[in-house]
């Protein structure tokens, strides 16, 4: 993990904390252009928008596509507090965003959420989704950042 990665991952975790503060699931995403500038952020909006696919990454992809268009996205990097799920990985792939960097892995999230019906996590790493595409998507992560776990503390019910 580079210092730049750490900076932007911490920013994505801050966005996740904001998402939680706004009544949503604690996930956040940040899009950074090739020059290292933050160009967009997105929170999860599943609860407040009643949008079942309103994950931070899908919200960011939607925004980025409208704002920048397909030609600009391959040079951009999506930083996210937690590994993109299979749905979000598909959205990132179809957008053409070239690089994904994440802190908390999907497997670690599943350990934290258990059988919580709010997060029926799939055991499908984003690398596997991207590996089946026709264009490359670079992936870096998971990276052990305590704050990435802490933003979830006490949020998820782990029904047995």
């Amino acid at each position: 993990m580079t210092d730049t990665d750490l900076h932007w991952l911490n920013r994505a975790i801050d966005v996740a904390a904001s998402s939680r503060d706004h009544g949503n699931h604690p996930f956040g995403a940040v899009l950074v252009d090739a020059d290292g500038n933050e160009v967009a952020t997105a929170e999860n909006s599943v609860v407040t928008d009643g949008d079942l696919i309103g994950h931070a990454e899908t919200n960011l992809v939607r925004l980025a596509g409208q704002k920048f268009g397909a030609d600009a996205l391959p040079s951009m990097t999506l930083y996210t507090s937690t590994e993109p799920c299979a749905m979000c990985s598909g959205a990132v792939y179809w957008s053409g965003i070239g690089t994904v960097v994440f802190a908390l892995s999907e497997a670690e999230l599943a350990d934290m959420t258990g059988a919580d019906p709010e997060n029926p996590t799939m055991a499908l790493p984003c690398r596997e989704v991207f590996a089946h595409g026709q264009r490359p998507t670079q992936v870096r992560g998971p990276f052990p950042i305590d704050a990435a776990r802490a933003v979830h503390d006490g949020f998820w019910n782990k029904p047995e």
Side-chain angles (χ1 to χ4, degrees), residues 52-134:
L52 298 176
I53 61 169
H55 293 192
E57 297 89 349
T58 56
N59 289 339
L60 187 70
V61 165
R62 203 175 291 116
L63 173 66
Q66 293 167 351
K67 189 172 180 180
F68 302 107
D71 292 342
L73 297 177
S75 66
M76 296 189 184
T77 300
L78 188 155
Y79 288 90
T80 184
S81 59
T82 305
E83 181 174 6
C85 70
M87 175 186 70
C88 291
S89 297
V92 169
Y93 172 78
W94 285 109
S95 76
I97 291 171
T99 304
V100 173
V101 183
F102 63 92
L104 189 69
S105 74
E106 184 82 355
E108 289 174 287
L109 178 65
D111 287 344
M112 295 175 75
T113 62
D116 192 311
E118 290 289 316
N119 191 50
T121 303
M122 297 175 75
L124 183 59
C126 69
R127 280 180 175 85
E128 290 187 33
V129 175
F130 297 136
H132 292 279
Q134 293 182 11

Side-chain angles (χ1 to χ4, degrees), residues 4-5 7-8 11 30-40 75-77 79:
T4 299
D5 288 341
H7 170 79
W8 291 117
R11 174 73 176 113
V30 176
L31 189 64
V32 176
D33 69 14
D35 295 324
N37 301 304
E38 178 180 313
V39 295
S75 66
M76 296 189 184
T77 300
Y79 288 90

